Amino acid sequence: MARTVYYSITLLSFMSMMQIESVASFTTRAPHVPISRSRSVPFMALDTSTKESDVKEIAVEENPRMLGLALMLDDGTRKSHSMAQNSAFVSGFFKGLSTREAYRALITSLYFVYSAMEDAFDDPNVISDVHALDDAELRRMSALKQDMDYFYGVEWESTISPSPSTKSYVARVRHVAEHKPYLLIAHQYTRYLGDLFGGQMMGGMATRSLDLEQGKGVAFYNFDDIPSTKNFITDWYQRLNALDLTEEQKMEIVDEANNVFDLNIGILEELEGSPLKAMWSLALNTLKMKLGIASR
């Protein structure tokens, strides 16, 4: 028990040392979107008669994360994740960076998951609320195929198969698509926004830890068609809050987002590898990069 606690603390301390705010690219609550005051009077220039409540109203109006379903999702996922869940996620994530084989297995699982998700989004019978949040810039299948080509070579589609946890994840996506398609919103929120927010950081970590060729094997984490992550996420949140959903449906979406987190932990826990090895490789290659020492 003590060893497990020490191990978790070591992982979290390493993330802090590397100035990693979150490893939520794979899945977790969506990112913090800084409050913009571009449409309001600069804070220091506010008239002294401005009430504190008015300032808060301006902030809420300009940050859609602070209200509606966006707020429910952020709060609902953050409060429900236990220390054990978060530690399992962090440990599993670093296992995926420990060897090329483990990382390839992770990319393979994501390929099956996103194939199921994006097939569901393409179904004309899926409700318009899901389509309203389905942006072409977020789609990941094309990028995943590039990464699969890099790690497997040609004609890999006939040689791969989903892991047990991946099968469960895919089955869940297909189930909600058929029976409660509005729950797909939880899958969009949990996966896509995390991927977008953490993409550059995660791709860089994979490249350094596995000593990949620059730009190779990390297409999944690149969102070249989105010039401003902050602006894109703000707009996405606004559309999320504008959906015509009942309070009961919103609560179900929050519950599903937490379920998605657990499904992703299942995939990560299947990976074979040493988190500590990945941490050491990442730290060493990061140091080499800062010192200008070639890793090849």
Side-chain angles (χ1 to χ4, degrees):
M1 179 68 178
R3 183 176 179 179
T4 300
V5 172
Y6 171 78
Y7 187 59
S8 299
I9 293 173
T10 301
L11 285 168
L12 295 173
S13 297
F14 174 82
M15 291 167 59
S16 176
M17 177 187 71
M18 297 295 292
Q19 296 182 339
I20 298 170
E21 185 176 88
S22 168
V23 291
S25 165
F26 291 119
T27 173
T28 185
R29 50 201 165 276
H32 171 69
V33 179
I35 298 172
S36 169
R37 293 192 174 88
S38 58
R39 291 177 295 158
S40 63
V41 180
F43 181 78
M44 294 302 294
L46 288 173
D47 186 274
T48 54
S49 63
T50 302
K51 297 179 181 179
E52 181 180 354
S53 59
D54 293 336
V55 175
K56 290 181 179 179
E57 184 177 344
I58 292 172
V60 170
E61 178 184 350
E62 298 203 7
N63 186 356
R65 185 189 180 192
M66 298 176 66
L67 48 83
L69 181 53
L71 178 62
M72 291 175 66
L73 278 164
D74 281 0
D75 277 357
T77 53
R78 180 173 55 251
K79 291 176 181 177
S80 71
H81 295 169
S82 67
M83 180 64 178
Q85 285 176 307
N86 287 325
S87 296
F89 180 86
V90 172
S91 176
F93 169 72
F94 278 109
K95 282 169 62 178
L97 296 183
S98 61
T99 65
R100 291 195 180 207
E101 290 74 20
Y103 181 72
R104 184 177 72 172
L106 175 59
I107 291 297
T108 302
S109 291
L110 292 176
Y111 171 81
F112 285 109
V113 169
Y114 278 84
S115 178
M117 286 172 56
E118 295 182 5
D119 282 350
F121 300 156
D122 287 335
D123 186 342
N125 296 319
V126 168
I127 61 174
S128 59
D129 290 334
V130 173
H131 292 151
L133 300 174
D134 177 29
D135 299 301
E137 299 93 328
L138 292 175
R139 293 282 188 121
R140 294 291 86 199
M141 281 304 293
S142 177
L144 281 166
K145 288 178 180 179
Q146 291 181 46
D147 292 339
M148 297 289 277
D149 287 341
Y150 175 74
F151 286 107
Y152 284 98
V154 296
E155 300 180 359
W156 48 265
E157 293 189 45
S158 61
T159 66
I160 61 172
S161 59
S163 67
S165 290
T166 304
K167 287 181 180 178
S168 297
Y169 197 148
V170 168
R172 180 59 184 176
V173 171
R174 291 173 177 167
H175 177 80
V176 300
E178 180 178 356
H179 298 284
K180 291 187 175 183
Y182 58 88
L183 293 183
L184 289 172
I185 294 168
H187 292 258
Q188 292 173 304
Y189 164 88
T190 308
R191 287 288 346 173
Y192 284 126
L193 262 64
D195 298 334
L196 175 59
F197 182 68
Q200 183 177 6
M201 176 187 71
M202 303 302 232
M205 290 173 68
T207 298
R208 294 193 297 274
S209 179
L210 302 173
D211 202 17
L212 301 175
E213 299 174 62
Q214 191 62 38
K216 299 293 186 179
V218 292
F220 174 75
Y221 296 112
N222 295 328
F223 291 82
D224 295 332
D225 295 328
I226 299 178
S228 171
T229 299
K230 172 190 169 184
N231 291 341
F232 187 94
I233 290 176
T234 298
D235 175 72
W236 198 93
Y237 269 131
Q238 289 171 338
R239 283 180 281 144
L240 174 69
N241 288 336
L243 299 179
D244 186 17
L245 299 164
T246 66
E247 288 302 309
E248 181 179 356
Q249 287 174 325
K250 292 177 182 178
M251 290 304 302
E252 286 185 83
I253 290 170
V254 173
D255 290 341
E256 183 67 13
N258 285 310
N259 185 34
V260 174
F261 185 77
D262 290 333
L263 289 170
N264 279 274
I265 288 178
I267 287 177
L268 293 171
E269 288 182 334
E270 285 182 330
L271 300 177
E272 295 183 3
S274 167
L276 293 178
K277 176 183 177 182
M279 291 162 61
W280 171 252
S281 296
L282 179 58
L284 181 61
N285 288 331
T286 299
L287 179 61
K288 287 180 177 180
M289 182 183 67
K290 291 183 180 294
L291 295 176
I293 304 173
S295 59
R296 291 185 181 277

